[in-house]
Each structure stands twice: as structure tokens, then as C-alpha cells.
Amino acid sequence: MTSTGIRLHAPAPGWSIDADVVVVGSGVAGLTAALRCEAAGLTTVVVTKALLDDGSTRWAQGGIAAALGEGDSPEQHLDDTLVAGAGLCDEGAVRILVTEGPDAVRRLISTGAHFDTDADGGIELTREGGHHRRRIVHAGGDATGAEVSRALVEAARARGVRMIENALVLDLLTDAEGRTAGVTLHVMGEGQHDGVGAVHAPVVVLATGGMGQVFSATTNPSVSTGDGVALALRAGAEVSDLEFVQFHPTVLFLGADAEGQQPLVSEAVRGEGAHVVDADGVRFMVGQHELAELAPRDIVAKGIMRRMQEQDAEHMFLDARHFGADMWEHRFPTILAACRAHGIDPVTEPIPIAPAAHYASGGVRTDARGRTTVRGLYACGEVACTGVHGANRLASNSLLEGLVYAERIAADITARHAENRLHARVPVPVPHPDKPAHPLQAPEARFAIQRIMTEGAGVLRSEESLARAAEQLQRVHTEARDALAENGKTAEPGVDTWEATNLLCVARALVEAARRRQETRGCHWREDHADRDDTVWRRHIVVRLNPDRSLAVGTTDTADFPPTRPHQPSQEQ
């Protein structure tokens, strides 16, 4: 795979450092990969956009799914994952997840993570949507992500892993043959490094999290602007399954005009017996699925949206008043505090809820070792598409995927480093372009993109809504492109303009994938194609960025991914 030659408009790097491995992101996937690489003797640098614990991991409430309980097994976990994935999971990838998952959780505990225990001192397990067993380990009741983040950050600091915080990664550096040679980045604020610089390394691990900020309302933090997927596309990598954006069904409703990060009401609340109801108290999910409120997330989200349409309502409710104050305070203290901060007391009243963008099941396409279609570039966690999630992620498989596949990436990097130690050639990056290769979007474009995506590519989609979104996004893209071509002008380089440009890049790719998939499957819901079509669409949609900044959209021949090496292009239509 060769690079597109497209880079964000930015000053030339004013400083550089060298490393064996650079990991971009400091969530569960990034820090796990970094710790394993550092332990193997590789000089590892972690680059993170904000502070070490400011990513999506610390916001994870529910827990980590693994077959650790009595009577449970990896095979049962596999079955539940395949059902949730709606026919598009890679069974081999899922088998890796569920068989290596229990030991990965145990290693996380040995790293220092403390999970909730029962009266006998054993790990306490709960249940979430789509699971037929209680297999979710959790910490602090509903603060699992915060505990996982704490443990990994402390371990990384104790080991002395080099960190560059408050740094937005801009682009992948590649050599003349398209091999990874490091990254460029911009460090915000004063410190050891300031402004645009570079980390030179033959291996880059993307662990940048999701792209939830492409929508107006999301559970994702403000840093989740799709930077990793956009970087990978500009580097020539393939991305897959971007149309499968999971909208979490139970997000605290703050008003129809609410924007940005919204408080999540964990699936574990339903796992412990909360009911989804309408304004009259009717449990409308009963009879729609054998698991009722504990059906996979796409089914619950669709059920809520249908009821809202039927009743012309802006939201539904989650009723857990029967928990009582003690259970709320001890099992779900974080959610209780968030609700009360917004004037709602779940002990005495139902919680208003509505679906909001939550998790990207698709991302940068990888193989079972986390390798992408660009040599030397790896991806893990939410930014990656390993084939584990298919058309819809099973609850609490996300942190587990980050753990398992980060460990596999570190093992692959370590083995390759050992094999090549005596004859490895340090890749020499191609020169920084003299002229801006990619027009930057003005900061206000971010909000325009979010509105376009929410209206046209949200929970409910159709050819009409997606075509309108594609046209509006193209207009945003064309205006900046034409301004650059006519007078050489582009928005001033900076964090706001780089993020807006990344959001536009991933929004365009997502919409084109959603337009191509003319069926309803998993968390992709097409009103004009209401049924699942296994004959035509039990396959993956793959997107690449062309050097002229157009998108190449293709499909795989089957539900299996083609290998990432050697590169085999998908069918393009």
C-alpha cells in the first residue's frame, strides 16, 4: 500500500525524538500495548491528546466481559458475541477475544486493577444486554473505566514509559516505499516540547479511540474526533464497517438541543433489573425480544426510537425506583451523581433517556495481530476494525478487545524486532511538503458537520437523508478545496481546525459506507431497506482515500476480511 501523499496543513516539525515504537493514545489499548513493548526492552513513546486519563476508557461504566464465572465458558461468550454482531463478526477474531480474554483480565488485575468482589472475596459479576450469563467484571460499582485507567497509568509511570501529553497527532510519516517512519504531532502549551514536532519510529500503534464527536450528541469525550481513522486514511490505509455506529439506547436526555458529551446510563442498570418504559409506564420492549430490555443495544435503541415516533415523544424513561437508595448509592454512585447534577433523582423518579452516538464498531482494518494495510502501522481498541464486533458490539466487549489485541500487537512487534535487530533499516521519512496538501476547515465547521451527521446519518437513515448529508458534506469539503486552489488560502493551522478537518474526513467516509449498505443490519438502520439481506450484504464495506481526496468505496467478496499483507484491493464499484 502506498501513501496518498495527503497531509494536514501544518508547520514543518521543529523538533524530533527517536523511538522503537510510538503508541498514539493512552486508554486501555494504548497503555497495554506500551507496557508490553516497554517490558520487552523496546524504547516506547506514548503520545496522548490530553492528559493520560482523559480518553474514553475512564468513562466506561459497565465493565469488562469475560468468561470468569461458574458455568460460563468462552464458547458461550462467543455465541453471544456472534448473535450481537448480526452475521458480520469474524469468528476467528471473536474466538481469540473470548479464549484469551479471561487471562488478559487476570493480567490486568496483576497490573494493579481492583475489581468489585462478593462476600467470599471472589470477583463480582453482573449482566448486560445481549449476554446470557453474568460475566461482566466491574469496579467502584459503575466506575470500571476509571479504575482500569488508574491502574494502567500508574503502571506506565512506574515503569518510566516516556509520555507526551496534550499532543494532537497530525499525520503518519512514511518512507519512499510507504513504510511507517513515525508521526508528526503538535504539543499544546509549553513544556519539554512545544508546537509541531515528530517522533521517528519504524512502528506506530494507533489507539486513538472513537469518533463520537462527529454527531451532535454522544457519550464520547470532546477529544474523540476520529483523528486515528483520518490519519490512517491519509496514510493510505483501508477502513471498514464505518457505517456501524452504535447508538447507546440509554443516555440521559438533556433536551432536544443538547450537544457534546452526554451522561451515559450504563447497560448494567438494566442488567440489575431496571425497566425501559414510556410516559405511561408501559414496558414496551417486552415481547419485542426474548431478553426484553436486555436485548442487544441496536434492538433496544430501535425499540426506543420507534416508540418515540409512535408517541411523538422526545425521549423515553428508564425506571429503577425499585432499586432503593442503598443500591443506587453503592452499585451506581457515578450515574446517581450525574442524574442528580441535572435535577433528576432516580431513587424517586424515572430517568429520561434517548439514544446517542456511543461506539464505532468499524475503523482501521486490521488482521489478528493488529496489523493494518500500511507496513509498520498497527491499530487496536475502538479505532480498529478487527472483525470482533461485526455489525454491532456486544456490551462490555470493548475494554476486553483493547486488552487482548493490544497484547497481540505487542507480541508481534517484539517478535519482528527480535528477527530484524541485526539488519533493520531505519525508515527515512519523505520530506515535509512545501505547500499545504490538505485544506483545513474553519473551527465552526465542526458544528455544521455534527448537525449534518445527526440529521442525515443518525439512528434512522434512508437514501434521501444520506444523500442529503453527502451533498452537504461535499459542499463543506469543496468550499475549502476551492479556496485553497484559487488563492492558496486555508484556515489557520491549529487544534480546532485540525480536529474539524479530521471530523469531515471520517464523516464523508461514514456516509458513503452507509449509502452503500442498502439493508438494515445491527446498528445500521435503513428505513428504506428495513430487512437484513444476507445474500447481497453479508460482506464488509471497505473505504480508502485516493490521492485526489476522493473516496474509493468497495465491498469484500464474503463476510471474511481479505488479508492485510500482501495488500489485496477490495472490489471497487
Side-chain angles (χ1 to χ4, degrees):
M1 170 63 71
T2 58
S3 173
T4 64
I6 301 171
R7 292 187 186 177
L8 291 172
H9 177 35
W15 54 269
S16 67
I17 59 175
D18 296 329
D20 294 321
V21 182
V22 56
V23 176
V24 187
S26 60
V28 61
L31 289 182
T32 298
L35 282 166
R36 298 293 183 272
C37 287
E38 188 77 21
L42 300 174
T43 303
T44 305
V45 174
V46 172
V47 177
T48 187
K49 193 172 177 180
L51 299 178
L52 283 181
D53 62 351
D54 273 355
S56 294
T57 291
R58 77 180 179 96
W59 295 99
Q61 296 174 345
I64 306 176
L68 295 166
E70 184 178 351
D72 199 2
S73 68
E75 201 67 27
Q76 294 177 68
H77 189 183
L78 180 141
D79 288 343
D80 286 344
T81 301
L82 294 180
V83 169
L88 278 187
C89 294
D90 181 299
E91 186 168 338
V94 177
R95 195 169 294 280
I96 288 169
L97 180 83
V98 299
T99 55
E100 297 182 12
D103 283 343
V105 172
R106 295 183 184 104
R107 282 189 290 273
L108 180 60
I109 293 171
S110 69
T111 301
H114 302 294
F115 294 107
D116 296 337
T117 56
D118 57 28
D120 298 324
I123 295 177
E124 187 175 62
L125 302 173
T126 191
R127 186 179 164 202
E128 294 183 354
H131 293 272
H132 285 78
R133 292 276 187 177
R134 296 180 75 90
R135 65 167 66 99
I136 316 299
V137 301
H138 49 84
D142 58 358
T144 307
E147 172 58 19
V148 169
S149 181
R150 179 205 63 78
L152 290 173
V153 167
E154 287 188 6
R157 285 176 172 154
R159 185 170 283 280
V161 177
R162 185 168 187 174
M163 310 284 185
I164 303 178
E165 294 182 293
N166 297 308
L168 172 62
V169 167
L170 302 176
D171 280 302
L172 189 75
L173 292 172
T174 54
D175 67 10
E177 297 178 3
R179 295 176 301 186
T180 293
V183 293
T184 55
L185 65 158
H186 173 79
V187 180
M188 298 166 267
E190 297 180 0
Q192 182 180 2
H193 302 293
D194 188 24
V196 175
V199 181
H200 294 141
V203 174
V204 172
V205 180
L206 291 180
T208 53
M211 57 180 76
Q213 289 291 327
V214 79
F215 295 96
S216 296
T218 177
T219 63
N220 289 194
S222 61
V223 294
S224 297
T225 51
D227 306 320
V229 170
L231 175 151
L233 281 167
R234 289 193 295 272
E238 290 184 349
V239 302
S240 185
D241 298 358
L242 287 190
E243 68 272 29
F244 296 118
V245 177
Q246 188 178 78
F247 287 79
H248 199 289
T250 56
V251 176
L252 183 62
F253 180 75
L254 300 180
D257 298 326
E259 294 184 340
Q261 186 177 10
Q262 314 287 302
L264 176 66
V265 182
S266 169
E267 193 138 349
V269 178
R270 281 174 283 141
E272 297 292 352
H275 302 146
V276 176
V277 299
D278 60 20
D280 296 322
V282 176
R283 290 181 60 193
F284 55 87
M285 286 306 301
V286 175
Q288 292 195 36
H289 190 276
E290 61 170 333
L291 297 176
E293 289 95 346
L294 281 176
R297 289 176 178 176
D298 64 305
I299 294 172
V300 180
K302 291 171 187 174
I304 290 172
M305 290 300 296
R306 286 194 188 100
R307 197 68 160 193
M308 288 165 56
Q309 287 178 322
E310 291 169 2
Q311 299 187 346
D312 194 24
E314 292 183 327
H315 62 83
M316 290 289 110
F317 295 91
L318 189 65
D319 192 352
R321 289 175 290 180
H322 52 285
F323 283 6
D326 286 346
M327 182 173 177
W328 268 111
E329 290 167 3
H330 291 95
R331 181 66 180 85
F332 301 110
T334 306
I335 299 169
L336 178 64
C339 289
R340 285 177 170 171
H342 290 282
I344 298 151
D345 188 351
V347 176
T348 60
E349 60 185 317
I351 304 168
I353 54 164
H358 182 57
Y359 189 89
S361 293
V364 185
R365 187 169 77 78
T366 75
D367 64 10
R369 297 177 184 177
R371 297 177 294 185
T372 73
T373 52
V374 173
R375 285 177 291 174
L377 179 65
Y378 293 76
C380 57
E382 190 174 354
V383 71
C385 184
T386 62
V388 160
H389 304 308
N392 186 42
R393 175 177 67 89
L394 182 65
S396 286
N397 269 355
S398 51
L399 293 181
L400 187 70
E401 184 195 30
L403 280 175
V404 168
Y405 281 87
E407 290 187 342
R408 293 180 71 81
I409 285 173
D412 192 68
I413 293 170
T414 302
R416 288 172 175 270
H417 183 78
E419 292 169 2
N420 298 327
R421 184 182 298 276
L422 297 179
H423 53 274
R425 238 182 359 148
V426 178
V428 178
V430 296
H432 186 81
D434 294 330
K435 296 181 179 180
H438 201 49
L440 296 180
Q441 296 296 322
E444 55 268 23
R446 175 174 184 148
F447 306 105
I449 293 163
Q450 290 172 334
R451 287 191 291 272
I452 291 167
M453 293 298 290
T454 297
E455 293 171 4
V459 181
L460 302 177
R461 301 168 178 175
S462 67
E463 173 57 34
E464 181 182 358
S465 75
L466 291 167
R468 184 170 60 251
E471 180 182 356
Q472 292 170 335
L473 292 172
Q474 183 62 32
R475 189 178 306 129
V476 174
H477 171 74
T478 301
E479 288 174 358
R481 182 198 64 194
D482 291 349
L484 180 63
E486 290 170 8
N487 52 35
K489 291 185 177 180
T490 185
E492 192 69 24
V495 174
D496 289 346
T497 57
W498 288 321
E499 286 186 333
T501 304
N502 284 339
L503 283 173
L504 179 61
C505 179
V506 298
R508 291 176 65 218
L510 192 161
V511 167
E512 290 308 314
R515 292 184 75 184
R516 177 64 62 91
R517 184 171 293 280
Q518 297 179 349
E519 65 161 353
T520 291
R521 181 187 298 269
C523 51
H524 173 66
W525 186 6
R526 286 283 298 260
E527 292 181 285
D528 52 339
H529 296 281
D531 298 322
R532 170 171 156 177
D533 183 354
D534 280 347
T535 302
V536 177
W537 290 113
R538 191 164 178 263
R539 59 191 67 199
H540 302 275
I541 294 174
V542 178
V543 180
R544 288 187 293 109
L545 187 64
N546 292 320
D548 65 357
R549 305 186 192 98
S550 64
L551 294 170
V553 185
T555 59
T556 57
D557 292 330
T558 68
D560 298 326
F561 279 139
T564 57
R565 288 181 180 82
H567 174 64
Q568 295 181 3
S570 305
Q571 295 178 348
E572 292 178 10
Q573 302 172 4

